[in-house]
């Protein structure tokens, strides 16, 4: 009995010490981790809105997903919106973070910069886990195609883009292409309906 009590006490002491050590490690690393996350967010914003001086968080609002049109819609979500401002505090446009669940290998998350007139500056992929050599080519194939385009929404094509609103699909990876395209369209829809942004038809 005494041995059992002794062993229980030892285990309790080990558990308490381990818990205290974990707490100390968490407190020590919390600030640097938060700092790195803030830095990564700033860099992602700056990539899609180079001429902005500061970025300020904007309150998120729900949108009516039934109003969206397109194959695979309803798997996208707007996670965060930052107002891109110049040095005087004037809003130049927005950085919108979108997650689409329509990827072949799972969720695809990216930021997109949209100017006040509706022009997409470009997108920056934050997380993607598509098939190597196929969907993972989104960085080199899809990303450049969205830059400096002012359209209401995008569509992908397998026969070569012939208009600003068309995106050349990645060969052998139409699921990835569709997911990213729908994600960008979701961001544009949010910009047009919630943020009151301009569009190509105005």
């Amino acid at each position: 009995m005494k041995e059992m009590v002794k062993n229980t006490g030892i285990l309790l002491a080990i558990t308490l010490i381990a818990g205290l050590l974990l707490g100390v490690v968490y407190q020590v690393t919390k600030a640097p981790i938060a700092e790195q996350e803030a830095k990564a967010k700033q860099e992602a914003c700056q990539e899609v809105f180079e001429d902005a001086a500061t970025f300020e968080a904007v309150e998120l609002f729900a949108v009516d997903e039934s109003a969206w049109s397109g194959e695979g819609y309803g798997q996208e979500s707007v996670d965060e919106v930052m107002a891109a401002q110049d040095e005087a505090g004037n809003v130049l446009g927005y950085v919108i973070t979108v997650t689409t669940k329509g990827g072949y290998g799972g969720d695809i998350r990216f930021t997109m910069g949209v100017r006040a007139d509706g022009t997409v500056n470009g997108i920056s992929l934050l997380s993607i886990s598509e098939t190597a050599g196929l969907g993972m080519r989104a960085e080199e194939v899809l990303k450049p195609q969205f830059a400096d385009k002012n359209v209401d929404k995008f569509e992908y094509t397998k026969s070569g883009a012939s208009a600003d609103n068309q995106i050349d699909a990645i060969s052998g990876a139409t699921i990835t292409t569709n997911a990213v395209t729908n994600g960008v369209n979701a961001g544009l829809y949010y910009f047009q309906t919630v943020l009151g942004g301009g569009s190509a038809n105005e």
Side-chain angles (χ1 to χ4, degrees):
M1 183 67 179
K2 288 182 179 180
E3 189 69 22
M4 185 182 296
V5 172
K6 179 183 177 182
N7 290 338
T8 301
I10 291 171
L11 285 173
L12 180 61
I14 291 171
T15 302
L16 287 172
I17 292 170
L20 287 171
L21 288 174
L22 284 173
V24 170
V25 169
Y26 171 74
Q27 289 299 324
V28 169
T29 59
K30 182 170 67 171
I33 289 173
E35 187 177 324
Q36 284 300 113
E37 288 176 346
K39 182 181 178 183
K41 183 186 293 185
Q42 177 73 18
E43 289 175 351
C45 289
Q46 208 74 60
E47 182 180 347
V48 295
F49 229 116
E50 292 182 355
D51 55 336
T54 59
F55 300 93
E56 185 175 329
V58 174
E59 183 181 358
L60 285 178
F61 292 93
V63 295
D64 180 13
E65 294 182 2
S66 65
W68 301 359
S69 61
E71 179 188 351
Y73 267 78
Q75 300 187 76
E76 300 78 30
S77 63
V78 172
D79 304 327
E80 186 176 35
V81 177
M82 307 285 284
Q85 303 171 328
D86 62 17
E87 292 183 356
N90 300 309
V91 176
L92 303 174
Y94 299 90
V95 175
I96 303 171
T97 302
V98 178
T99 296
T100 173
K101 298 183 181 299
Y104 184 81
D107 293 357
I108 301 172
R109 194 164 187 257
F110 61 87
T111 58
M112 56 187 287
V114 187
R115 304 196 79 82
D117 67 352
T119 301
V120 176
N121 287 337
I123 69 172
S124 175
L125 295 169
L126 301 176
S127 62
I128 182 171
S129 55
E130 301 296 271
T131 306
L134 294 173
M136 286 304 287
R137 295 183 63 217
E139 181 81 24
E140 62 176 285
V141 178
L142 298 181
K143 181 178 172 180
Q145 297 188 67
F146 291 104
D148 301 318
K149 299 288 181 64
N150 189 325
V151 299
D152 285 331
K153 66 179 181 179
F154 292 93
E155 62 182 32
Y156 75 87
T157 175
K158 300 178 184 179
S159 56
S162 59
D164 278 354
N165 70 324
Q166 293 184 327
I167 301 298
D168 272 325
I170 302 171
S171 180
T174 54
I175 292 177
T176 303
T177 303
N178 186 56
V180 174
T181 302
N182 283 346
V184 173
N185 284 339
L188 279 175
Y189 180 83
Y190 190 93
F191 169 77
Q192 293 160 1
T193 59
V194 177
L195 300 173
S199 70
N201 293 333
E202 289 183 341

